[in-house]
Amino acid sequence: EALEALFRSYTFRKHHRVVDFGCGRGRVAFYVHRHFQIPVVGIEAHDKTYDEALDNKASYRVKAKHISAPIRLKYGLAEHYDVKPQDTCFYFFNPFSSQVFKKVIANIMASVENKPRTIDVILYYPLAEYKKVMRKYPFRKLNKIRVPGAEEAHEKFIIYRLLADSLD
């Protein structure tokens, strides 16, 4: 239901590639891949959860073999992920400390400075510390989407955009 609310207001383009940091068992990665048929990378650092994600991917690919866009799962720490020039959207579901988040955003920014491009960062259940990190960079808040029926104030998405020309 939360993802449906998000994607009623936000959509991906065919040239997008999504990176899901702290992808868990792959639910968001598979959802995005199935609905938008774009490349997705999931990063997971917990070994048992990663193994479950791989099992889920094998089952998912049987059903989604008609989708040519790749879906990759990588085992490792988010702050060690080498942000690729084709990565354009970064999804976070509150997966780690603000110190790690700060490092990941710095890695994203270094990649964007090397290869300027417009990128989006989607935060689900955004922590105050995460929002503070985002304010240190030239991101602009694109949208805030509350989850229908949510009882908790944090149960929302905040989408930030960094335009390619805002790095000048």
Side-chain angles (χ1 to χ4, degrees):
E1 191 177 334
L3 291 175
E4 288 172 6
L6 170 64
F7 296 123
R8 276 193 295 273
S9 301
Y10 180 86
T11 191
F12 296 107
R13 306 252 189 272
K14 288 294 177 192
H15 69 278
H16 284 159
R17 180 167 121 152
V18 177
V19 179
D20 179 2
F21 286 103
C23 71
R25 292 173 183 87
R27 186 178 60 112
V28 171
F30 303 137
Y31 185 98
V32 168
H33 188 261
R34 184 176 73 247
H35 284 82
F36 298 99
Q37 300 187 13
I38 59 172
V40 179
V41 177
I43 313 297
E44 179 55 49
H46 186 269
D47 56 347
K48 286 184 180 178
T49 305
Y50 177 72
D51 288 342
E52 290 175 30
L54 289 177
D55 290 343
N56 291 342
K57 178 185 173 188
S59 299
Y60 167 75
R61 277 316 245 170
V62 168
K63 294 179 231 160
K65 58 182 165 229
H66 64 285
I67 301 173
S68 61
I71 183 165
R72 295 192 172 86
L73 300 176
K74 295 182 179 281
Y75 176 73
L77 298 173
E79 64 268 34
H80 294 166
Y81 175 69
D82 179 27
V83 179
K84 307 290 186 279
Q86 60 269 34
D87 295 337
T88 57
C89 186
F90 304 90
Y91 181 88
F92 298 86
F93 175 22
N94 212 355
F96 31 66
S97 74
S98 59
Q99 273 61 36
V100 171
F101 181 72
K102 197 180 302 184
K103 290 176 187 173
V104 173
I105 293 296
N107 291 344
I108 291 169
M109 292 304 297
S111 174
V112 170
E113 286 165 7
N114 277 343
K115 168 81 172 63
R117 61 197 183 276
T118 296
I119 62 164
D120 290 345
V121 172
I122 301 173
L123 303 179
Y124 183 40
Y125 267 84
L127 298 175
E129 296 87 14
Y130 281 27
K131 293 189 264 185
K132 192 174 177 182
V133 169
M134 296 304 290
R135 285 193 293 269
K136 293 182 180 181
Y137 296 99
F139 284 93
R140 64 179 175 90
K141 194 185 295 183
L142 189 64
N143 202 352
K144 179 169 60 173
I145 302 160
R146 294 214 175 273
V147 174
E151 295 177 18
E152 222 177 292
H154 290 299
E155 202 167 344
K156 63 186 171 200
F157 295 93
I158 298 181
I159 303 166
Y160 294 91
R161 178 162 289 163
L162 178 74
L163 297 171
D165 59 4
S166 66
L167 297 171
D168 298 333

